[in-house]
Amino acid sequence: MPGPLAGIRVLDFTAVVSGPFATMFLADQGADVLKIEPIGGDSVRRSGAPLDKAGEFSALFISSNRGKRSLSIDMKSDAGREVLAKLVSRADVVVQNFRPGAMERLGLGPEELRARDPRLIYVSISGVGDTGPYVKKRVYDPIIQGLSGFADIQSQAVTNRPQMIRTIVADKTTSIFTAQAVSSALYAREKTGQGDHIQVAMLDVMLSYLWPEGMTQYTVVGAEPAEVGPNDRPDLVFKTSDGYITAGTLSDSEWQGFCRASGDPELAADARFATQRSRTVNATARIHKMGEYIAQRSTAEWLERLDANDVPCAPILRRGEIIANEQVVARKLIAEFDQPTVGRVRQPKPAARFERSEAEIGGPAPRVGEHSRDVLLDLGYSAGDIDRMIADKVVRVASSEGDASVSIK
């Protein structure tokens, strides 16, 4: 069955990850997402080692753009602007993540487009918003990790040196917030008949994301700490005799279960860990003590003991072990499909599962301009018109054997 967003048309002017990942979620849920690319294609196509001879696909591009169509066009040309104006008139949602002011210079700003169509939902994704002293900064994920407190919360013990999270957490979290906001705006439009201009800044998103437990010391006004010491609490990574596991002992029942699993009757009598509050106050000592016991047995033995005593636990998987993990396999979380010019690829299935309107991967990621001709024909342009646009380098069309008209370096 079609996804819950079937019939919704999305124009995707975004590049890199924060925007493309968001619109990919909309495509998974049934929206028709048309990716608007420059003649050379989204720069992320060339991120890392190329997966195909033409250099059109990187793993990151496929994982952020599956299920979309691609129109490759010169947005600054008169003919290109005419095409885009026609596409906007048919769109339900426009998403862009250019630097502030760029879309306005192209005649594609939110005020202009929404004046033509009040039902249009226009989404602007930015690094730090459209006001403030940082507004002209070029922003990538590490910049937001630094500004939002994420690098601080990862600080090394003792030295208190900030550290980055080794994944583009700000980009991807912004994508999720954006996709959710688009769904809310579509629902509101059904009730009011009016679209909206949604602004999502990566900095805003990550402050919201970090706040619940990461900013507890700053939640009550007037009760802020005079000085915050190093983040000396160890993480919940425990080395066994042959690998690594994680385990949690927050509640009384979980701690008592761990004590039983340890086989040491004296551990339960330790006053430092007798209550939930005392275990929190003495967290460093508790975690080190757990580590001493866990190091004495194998991963398999500890998981069996902890599960038997209802203690939250899991093996810590290396990335190469995830695909074959028994839970991942049982849930059929990984899908495979053919990516033209690349071969067989893996992707995680959409995480939100709908009972009636199933979300699913809509197909492979598009080649640069793979759907340009079809899009233009649908807009009423003749074959001759399209050939002239291609000759004038207003539009790029992917050939069946690889597009040799534009070299990608």
Side-chain angles (χ1 to χ4, degrees):
M1 293 181 65
L5 295 180
I8 297 298
R9 293 183 174 184
V10 179
L11 283 186
D12 178 5
F13 287 91
T14 67
V16 193
V17 176
S18 63
F21 203 44
T23 54
M24 188 193 76
F25 292 137
L26 304 180
D28 284 348
Q29 294 178 7
D32 174 12
V33 179
L34 178 61
K35 185 175 180 68
I36 308 299
E37 299 190 69
I39 297 300
D42 186 336
S43 62
V44 171
R45 289 182 179 273
R46 302 178 289 281
S47 174
L51 301 181
D52 61 329
K53 292 181 180 179
E56 286 188 286
F57 291 110
S58 66
L60 180 57
F61 182 86
I62 291 171
S63 298
S64 303
N65 291 279
R66 67 187 187 216
K68 302 178 186 178
R69 299 186 296 151
S70 169
L71 168 66
S72 180
I73 194 166
D74 179 2
M75 293 192 293
K76 295 181 180 179
S77 67
D78 291 340
R81 291 188 185 198
E82 178 186 271
V83 170
L84 294 176
K86 291 182 178 182
L87 287 170
V88 168
S89 70
R90 299 182 174 194
D92 296 286
V93 182
V94 168
V95 187
Q96 63 90 13
N97 66 347
F98 288 97
R99 293 171 79 177
M103 288 293 277
E104 284 80 359
R105 290 191 291 272
L106 293 169
L108 296 169
E111 291 186 8
E112 184 172 348
L113 296 190
R114 294 200 62 250
R116 297 180 202 166
D117 179 10
R119 287 178 55 83
L120 179 68
I121 295 167
Y122 191 106
V123 184
S124 299
I125 302 173
S126 65
V128 295
D130 61 355
T131 57
Y134 294 174
V135 71
K136 292 185 178 180
K137 279 184 176 290
R138 184 176 291 275
V139 174
Y140 290 107
D141 193 278
I143 307 299
I144 302 302
Q145 288 198 37
L147 288 174
S148 65
F150 265 74
D152 176 58
I153 206 168
Q154 293 293 114
S155 293
Q156 294 175 343
V158 184
T159 67
N160 212 29
R161 182 184 186 276
Q163 298 184 112
M164 297 290 179
I165 298 172
R166 294 179 181 175
T167 184
I168 49 175
V169 63
D171 275 306
K172 292 184 290 187
T173 306
T174 298
S175 300
I176 297 168
F177 272 59
T178 300
Q180 187 277 328
V182 168
S183 296
S184 292
L186 287 168
Y187 175 68
R189 191 179 71 172
E190 289 300 303
K191 296 191 297 181
T192 67
Q194 295 292 309
D196 210 332
H197 179 204
I198 304 170
Q199 299 184 67
V200 186
M202 293 168 67
L203 178 59
D204 303 17
V205 165
M206 297 317 290
L207 283 176
S208 296
Y209 185 88
L210 181 68
W211 202 276
E213 94 301 350
M215 294 290 285
T216 54
Q217 295 163 302
Y218 301 92
T219 297
V220 179
V221 177
E224 301 84 0
E227 183 178 351
V228 179
N231 296 328
D232 59 354
R233 180 184 295 185
D235 56 27
L236 296 178
V237 175
F238 299 106
K239 191 177 189 316
T240 65
S241 63
D242 62 353
Y244 294 89
I245 66 169
T246 185
T249 53
L250 185 61
S251 71
D252 289 339
S253 66
E254 291 163 359
W255 175 247
Q256 292 158 9
F258 181 84
C259 293
R260 291 192 297 271
S262 74
D264 182 359
E266 296 300 319
L267 182 59
D270 194 320
R272 294 174 300 171
F273 314 130
T275 67
Q276 184 168 331
R277 180 171 179 77
S278 65
R279 285 192 298 277
T280 300
V281 171
N282 298 296
T284 297
R286 170 175 54 89
I287 293 169
H288 284 313
K289 177 62 71 173
M290 291 172 65
E292 293 173 10
Y293 288 98
I294 291 174
Q296 299 171 15
R297 295 188 173 93
S298 69
T299 294
E301 185 174 0
W302 265 112
L303 293 176
E304 182 178 358
R305 283 170 170 262
L306 293 172
D307 281 335
N309 286 281
D310 201 26
V311 178
C313 64
I316 293 180
L317 302 177
R318 298 296 186 178
R319 281 169 287 179
E321 300 172 321
I322 293 172
I323 295 167
N325 174 260
E326 57 186 353
Q327 181 66 21
V328 173
V329 171
R331 293 277 294 162
K332 299 179 180 178
L333 298 183
I334 308 297
E336 294 184 4
F337 56 84
D338 292 320
Q339 176 66 51
T341 77
V342 173
R344 197 76 176 161
V345 299
R346 296 186 184 94
Q347 290 284 286
K349 291 183 178 179
R353 300 195 175 188
F354 296 79
E355 183 175 345
R356 297 186 60 187
S357 299
E358 184 177 1
E360 61 183 4
I361 295 173
R367 297 183 58 208
V368 181
E370 180 177 342
H371 305 91
S372 295
R373 190 177 292 276
D374 291 341
V375 169
L376 295 172
L377 287 171
D378 186 52
L379 289 175
Y381 290 94
S382 68
D385 293 333
I386 298 170
D387 289 339
R388 280 189 293 275
M389 289 185 192
I390 295 170
D392 293 338
K393 296 184 179 180
V394 172
V395 169
R396 176 177 174 181
V397 179
S399 69
S400 58
E401 297 180 358
D403 187 353
S405 64
V406 178
S407 62
I408 301 178
K409 297 180 181 180

